[in-house]
């Protein structure tokens, strides 16, 4: 009837006049085409269809209204021109932007951040429907679409998001930082008494943590160490007053959590190193032309197994809760120490500029990048490096012993 050769043409017609779906094929649509064919000068069905394509609203008018409009066409005017769309008599409406129209697009939920169609979990009819089911606002749904933000354990996309079809081009216009400041922070943890078969199970145990930061002279070195010292002290309730360097580059503290085993203390030192860095860099968010290139060194083989893959940490960081994160780990809860690993990964992601989930109260940093390095890979063994690593471990052990004796004196 409408002489359409491609599905796309039918789609465009439907979008222009959705109420066409309520019209009868023989009693309404075919009748209108016949009326327009009989009243154009060429008596051509093709001309009639061309009139319809220019003004699809004619199809949703009643037969009587269309017949009346045809009869009122002046004799000296072509019917095709007479029936063109007109604003006469229409109410003024607010022009909808493309972004507003997208709001009614279906919303796709996917587990895959890179290839959404490979792991679709659900399709919501609209942002409003998705918001009701997921328990968030419509604005939160729209903000999450295509931005790599997790909502309810899934990434959300709108059908109008071209990133589903075309790969994103590399950013070539982003200015490179004018200044790069390298920061190295060594961390170590230890428990007392040590995890040994000679120690009775259930005996009281304490833990200690030690940190030392290094940077170069490309900026105000003394001021930076002072800022590091203030940030480090703000992160710990109990600091140990032993072997502290006066320049502020070192901090020794007590393990603040329960069950201070060797593994937990070592992993906690990595976690708190990132905590200190976040506290330090909060005041430097406006330094857009400066990049803080950070390396965190750990002497723990246990912690290194968990943090050595940057890609894996960034992937796990997309899961906001510890339960979601734990379900994607191939290790048992007790061996992972999820109460420490979870905040470590979340902090690692923020420092690497990853977008925070909607539920988060924190903000990502856009002027820093962080990676973990094993201490043995970052030192020069023939220049006293090994002795330095062992010294930091001794200081962590001293902190654990200091707290053990302190608790013993309180009993």
């Amino acid at each position: 009837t409408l002489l359409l050769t491609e599905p796309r043409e039918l789609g465009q017609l439907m979008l222009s006049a959705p109420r066409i779906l309520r019209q009868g094929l023989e009693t309404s649509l075919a009748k209108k085409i016949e009326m327009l064919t009989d009243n154009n000068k060429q008596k051509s069905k093709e001309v009639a269809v061309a009139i319809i394509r220019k003004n699809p609203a004619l199809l949703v008018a009643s037969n009587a209204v269309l017949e009346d409009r045809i009869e009122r066409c002046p004799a000296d005017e072509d019917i095709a021109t007479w029936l063109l769309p007109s604003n006469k008599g229409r109410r003024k409406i607010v022009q909808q932007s493309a972004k507003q129209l997208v709001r009614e697009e279906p919303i796709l939920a996917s587990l895959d951040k890179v290839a959404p169609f490979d792991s679709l979990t659900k399709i919501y009819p609209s942002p409003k429907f998705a918001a009701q089911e997921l328990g968030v606002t419509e604005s939160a749904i729209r903000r999450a679409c295509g931005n790599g933000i997790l909502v309810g354990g899934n990434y959300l996309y709108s059908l109008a998001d071209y990133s589903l079809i075309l790969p994103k081009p590399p950013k070539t216009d982003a200015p490179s930082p004018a200044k790069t400041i390298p920061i190295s922070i060594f961390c170590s943890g230890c428990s007392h008494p040590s995890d040994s078969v000679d120690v009775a199970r259930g005996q009281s145990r304490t833990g200690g943590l030690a940190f030392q930061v290094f940077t170069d002279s490309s900026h105000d070195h003394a001021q930076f160490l002072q800022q590091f010292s203030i940030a480090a002290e703000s992160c710990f309730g109990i600091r140990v007053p032993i072997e502290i360097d006066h320049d502020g580059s070192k901090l020794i503290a007590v393990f603040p959590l329960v069950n201070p085993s060797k593994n937990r203390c070592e992993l906690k030192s990595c976690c708190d190193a990132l905590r200190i860095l976040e506290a330090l860099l909060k005041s430097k968010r406006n330094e857009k032309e400066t990049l803080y290139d950070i390396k965190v060194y750990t002497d723990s083989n246990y912690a290194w197994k968990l943090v050595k893959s940057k890609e894996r940490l960034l992937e796990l960081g997309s899961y906001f809760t510890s339960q979601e994160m734990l379900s994607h780990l191939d290790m048992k809860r007790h061996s992972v120490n999820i109460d420490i690993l979870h905040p470590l990964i979340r902090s690692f992601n923020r420092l690497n500029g990853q977008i925070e989930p909607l539920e988060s109260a924190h903000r990502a940093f856009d002027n820093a990048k962080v990676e973990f390095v094993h201490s043995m890979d970052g030192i020069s063994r023939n220049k006293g490096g090994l002795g330095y690593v062992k010294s930091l471990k001794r200081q962590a052990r001293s902190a654990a012993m200091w707290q053990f004796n302190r608790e013993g004196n309180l009993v």
Side-chain angles (χ1 to χ4, degrees):
T1 301
L2 297 176
L3 304 179
L4 303 177
T5 58
E6 297 182 13
R8 176 179 55 82
E9 295 177 334
L10 179 60
Q12 291 175 343
L13 196 63
M14 295 298 182
L15 290 174
S16 301
R19 286 186 296 167
I20 190 177
L21 296 172
R22 303 175 62 180
Q23 308 298 315
L25 185 59
E26 297 297 332
T27 59
S28 179
L29 302 184
K31 183 68 175 176
K32 292 181 176 69
I33 296 295
E34 182 182 343
M35 291 166 58
L36 292 172
T37 301
D38 293 341
N39 287 278
N40 67 68
K41 292 180 181 179
Q42 294 83 4
K43 304 296 181 182
S44 167
K45 186 176 181 180
E46 286 76 9
V47 173
V49 170
I51 294 173
I52 291 294
R53 292 189 183 185
K54 290 181 180 179
N55 188 4
L58 295 173
L59 289 176
V60 298
S62 67
N63 292 346
V65 168
L66 179 59
E67 186 176 3
D68 179 64
R69 289 192 63 181
I70 292 174
E71 289 177 354
R72 288 189 288 109
C73 177
D76 59 346
E77 188 166 353
D78 184 66
I79 189 68
T81 305
W82 176 252
L83 293 178
L84 286 174
S86 171
N87 292 325
K88 185 178 180 180
R90 290 186 182 180
R91 294 180 182 178
K92 291 184 179 180
I93 60 174
V94 178
Q95 182 67 33
Q96 288 183 303
S97 67
K99 194 173 281 189
Q100 288 173 316
L101 292 174
V102 168
R103 293 181 179 182
E104 299 308 316
E105 289 280 349
I107 301 298
L108 309 180
S110 173
L111 295 173
D112 197 320
K113 187 176 181 179
V114 180
F117 284 118
D118 293 344
S119 54
L120 285 179
T121 58
K122 192 162 186 177
I123 299 179
Y124 301 99
S126 67
K128 182 177 180 180
F129 194 90
Q132 291 173 347
E133 285 219 355
L134 296 173
V136 297
T137 62
E138 284 188 57
S139 60
I141 294 294
R142 299 185 193 106
R143 185 157 63 94
C145 284
N147 288 323
I149 301 176
L150 277 172
V151 180
N154 288 282
Y155 297 102
L156 301 183
Y157 300 88
S158 166
L159 278 181
D161 189 352
Y162 289 103
S163 63
L164 294 176
I165 304 169
L166 301 175
K168 292 183 179 180
K171 294 182 179 180
T172 56
D173 55 346
S176 56
K179 184 179 182 181
T180 299
I181 297 179
I183 299 175
S184 299
I185 179 168
F186 284 78
C187 56
S188 188
C190 194
S191 62
H192 180 78
S194 62
D195 297 349
S196 168
V197 294
D198 298 328
V199 178
R201 184 180 294 275
Q203 179 176 341
S204 176
R205 184 180 279 120
T206 55
L209 310 172
F211 309 89
Q212 184 154 13
V213 67
F214 296 92
T215 184
D216 64 9
S217 57
S218 62
H219 57 118
D220 192 331
H221 187 264
Q223 182 184 12
F224 175 83
L225 292 181
Q226 183 183 12
Q227 293 171 339
F228 172 82
S229 179
I230 294 172
E233 291 182 4
S234 70
C235 294
F236 296 94
I238 302 178
R239 297 177 296 278
V240 181
I242 54 175
E243 296 188 51
I244 300 180
D245 290 354
H246 295 295
D247 63 358
S249 65
K250 185 179 292 184
L251 179 125
I252 304 174
V254 170
F255 180 80
L257 303 180
V258 297
N259 303 327
S261 67
K262 175 178 177 290
N263 286 348
R264 286 174 61 77
C265 290
E266 291 174 343
L267 187 61
K268 181 63 174 171
S269 70
C270 295
C271 179
D272 285 346
L274 298 183
R275 259 181 76 209
I276 295 171
L277 291 167
E278 282 200 272
L280 173 66
L281 296 181
K282 277 183 180 178
S283 62
K284 303 181 182 295
R285 287 185 182 274
N286 294 328
E287 299 179 11
K288 303 298 184 183
E289 295 185 357
T290 301
L291 174 66
Y292 290 89
D293 187 4
I294 304 166
K295 288 181 172 57
V296 179
Y297 293 86
T298 175
D299 58 3
S300 166
N301 292 329
Y302 163 75
W304 176 240
K305 290 177 182 178
L306 294 173
V307 302
K308 62 182 179 181
S309 172
K310 183 174 182 177
E311 292 73 18
R312 180 61 172 155
L313 291 181
L314 294 177
E315 178 188 349
L316 290 170
S318 63
Y319 304 106
F320 183 60
T321 67
S322 58
Q323 290 298 326
E324 289 177 315
M325 195 176 290
L326 188 62
S327 66
H328 290 81
L329 286 166
D330 300 326
M331 302 174 70
K332 295 180 180 179
R333 178 192 292 267
H334 67 272
S335 62
V336 169
N337 290 302
I338 194 66
D339 61 321
I340 301 175
L341 185 63
H342 175 255
L344 181 155
I345 292 177
R346 297 292 313 121
S347 200
F348 183 84
N349 274 250
R350 287 192 293 271
L351 286 166
N352 279 292
Q354 299 300 298
I355 299 175
E356 281 288 278
L358 297 173
E359 303 93 328
S360 175
H362 299 280
R363 288 171 52 202
F365 294 83
D366 56 5
N367 61 344
K369 65 175 184 177
V370 187
E371 64 177 327
F372 283 97
V373 182
H374 197 289
S375 296
M376 293 298 104
D377 296 329
I379 62 172
S380 177
R381 303 192 185 192
N382 57 355
K383 293 184 179 181
L386 185 59
Y388 167 75
V389 172
K390 289 182 177 180
S391 173
L392 198 64
K393 175 66 76 175
R394 282 197 301 271
Q395 290 166 346
R397 183 179 295 110
S398 296
M401 294 173 65
W402 178 86
Q403 178 65 6
F404 185 85
N405 295 330
R406 182 170 176 267
E407 290 181 359
N409 292 333
L410 294 176
V411 176

